Amino acid sequence: MPSLKDMRARMSSVRQTRKITSAMKLVAASKLRRAQEYAEASRPFAERMSAMLQNLAAGVADQPGAPPLLAGTGKDDVHLLIVATADRGLCGGFNSSIVRGGRRRIQELVNAGKEVKVIVVGRKGRDMLRRDQRERIVEFFDGIVGKRRIEFADAQRVTDRILEMYEAGEFDVCTLIYNKFKSAVSQILTFQQLVPVPTPAPAEGGAVGEGGAIYEFEPDEENILGELLPRNLAVQLFGALLENSASEQGARMAAMDSATRNAGEMINKLTLSYNRQRQAQITKELMEIISGAEAI
C-alpha cells in the first residue's frame, strides 16, 4: 500500500493534469468554432462543382478525346490513396479511425489484385502507416493541417503532386480518405473518389436526372475543362482539409472533456482512499498510546 506522502504526490500530479486537459479543452473549443465556420463555408462551392463535373462526366466521358481526368485511363490497376490525418494527437480516435479505414481499403484492393500507392497528409498518419505500409507511401506532406488557418495554396501543393503522378501514368484511380465534420462529438469517415470524376448513378425507372443535362462549351471544351478539372481537384482537397481540421478540433475537445472528468473522478477516489488511510493511521496511533498508558 502506498504511503500518505506518495498518495499526496499522486493527487497533486492528477490535479496538474486536470488543469492541462481543461485548458486544452477550452483551446480546442475556440479553434473548433473557427474551423467549423471555414468548413461549412466551403461546402456549397465544393458540392456544386462536384455535382456539375459529375454531370459533365456522364455526358462527355464516353466521347473520343475526353480529358483523362474526366474519362480516366481506361484501367483500374493502380490505386492512389490520399490519407489525410492530423499532425498532433490527443484527439481521441480521430487519427486511428482514418488510418484504420485506409488500411482496410488497402487490404481490399490488394486482395483484388490491385497495386496501391499512398500519399499521407499529416504526421500522425505517416507515423501509423509506415509501421506496416512503408513501401506503399510515395509522398508525405507536413505542416498543412497543423496551421492556424489552412490556405488554398496548401491544397494546391498536394494537387500539383497528384497531377504530376497522373500525367506520368503512375496511377489510374485516386481516392481521398478523411473525416467529414458532423458535430463536435461525431465525424463521418469518408472515401471520396477524385480521379476520374465519378459519374452519377442512373435514375430509377429510366427517368432523366441532372446527369442528362446538355452543356454547351464556349470557347471550347478542351480549354474550359483543362482549367476546370485541376481546379476541381484542388477545391475538393481544400474542402476535405477544412472538414478534417474541424473534425480534429471537435474530437480533441471531446477527448479533453472526457479526460478532465476522468481526472476529477480519480482525484475523488484518491482523496477518499487518502482520508481512510490517514484515519486508520491516526486510530492505530491512538490505540498504541492508550495501550501504553494502561500498561503503566
Side-chain angles (χ1 to χ4, degrees), residues 162-171:
I162 296 172
L163 293 174
E164 179 185 339
M165 293 179 63
Y166 192 65
E167 290 170 1
E170 297 183 22
F171 69 90

Side-chain angles (χ1 to χ4, degrees), residues 96-221:
S96 58
S97 66
I98 297 174
V99 172
R100 277 199 306 269
R103 285 180 174 142
R104 185 169 63 249
R105 179 57 60 90
I106 290 172
Q107 192 60 48
E108 291 172 355
L109 292 171
V110 169
N111 291 340
K114 312 296 183 182
E115 181 183 352
V116 181
K117 299 179 180 180
V118 179
I119 291 179
V120 183
V121 181
R123 283 196 299 270
K124 282 299 179 179
R126 177 201 61 182
D127 295 342
M128 298 170 73
L129 281 174
R130 68 180 179 182
R131 298 172 189 169
D132 55 347
Q133 306 292 339
R134 181 186 295 268
E135 71 282 357
R136 293 191 170 93
I137 298 177
V138 297
E139 191 71 57
F140 163 64
F141 289 90
D142 189 12
I144 294 180
V145 292
K147 296 176 62 176
R148 178 178 177 85
R149 179 174 181 178
I150 300 174
E151 303 290 345
F152 187 78
D154 299 319
Q156 191 64 55
R157 286 171 49 201
V158 185
T159 301
D160 291 342
R161 178 56 178 152
I162 296 172
L163 293 174
E164 179 185 339
M165 293 179 63
Y166 192 65
E167 290 170 1
E170 297 183 22
F171 69 90
D172 302 314
V173 180
C174 177
T175 304
L176 175 63
I177 305 174
Y178 67 100
N179 268 337
K180 186 173 183 179
F181 179 80
K182 182 178 180 182
S183 68
V185 294
S186 178
Q187 300 86 37
I188 303 173
L189 182 62
T190 303
F191 297 82
Q192 182 178 355
Q193 182 175 314
L194 299 178
V195 181
V197 176
T199 56
E204 295 183 2
V208 178
E210 292 183 359
I214 299 175
Y215 289 86
E216 294 183 359
F217 297 92
E218 191 176 320
D220 58 68
E221 296 181 15

Side-chain angles (χ1 to χ4, degrees), residues 216-230:
E216 294 183 359
F217 297 92
E218 191 176 320
D220 58 68
E221 296 181 15
E222 184 176 353
N223 289 336
I224 294 178
L225 293 179
E227 176 68 24
L228 193 60
L229 289 170

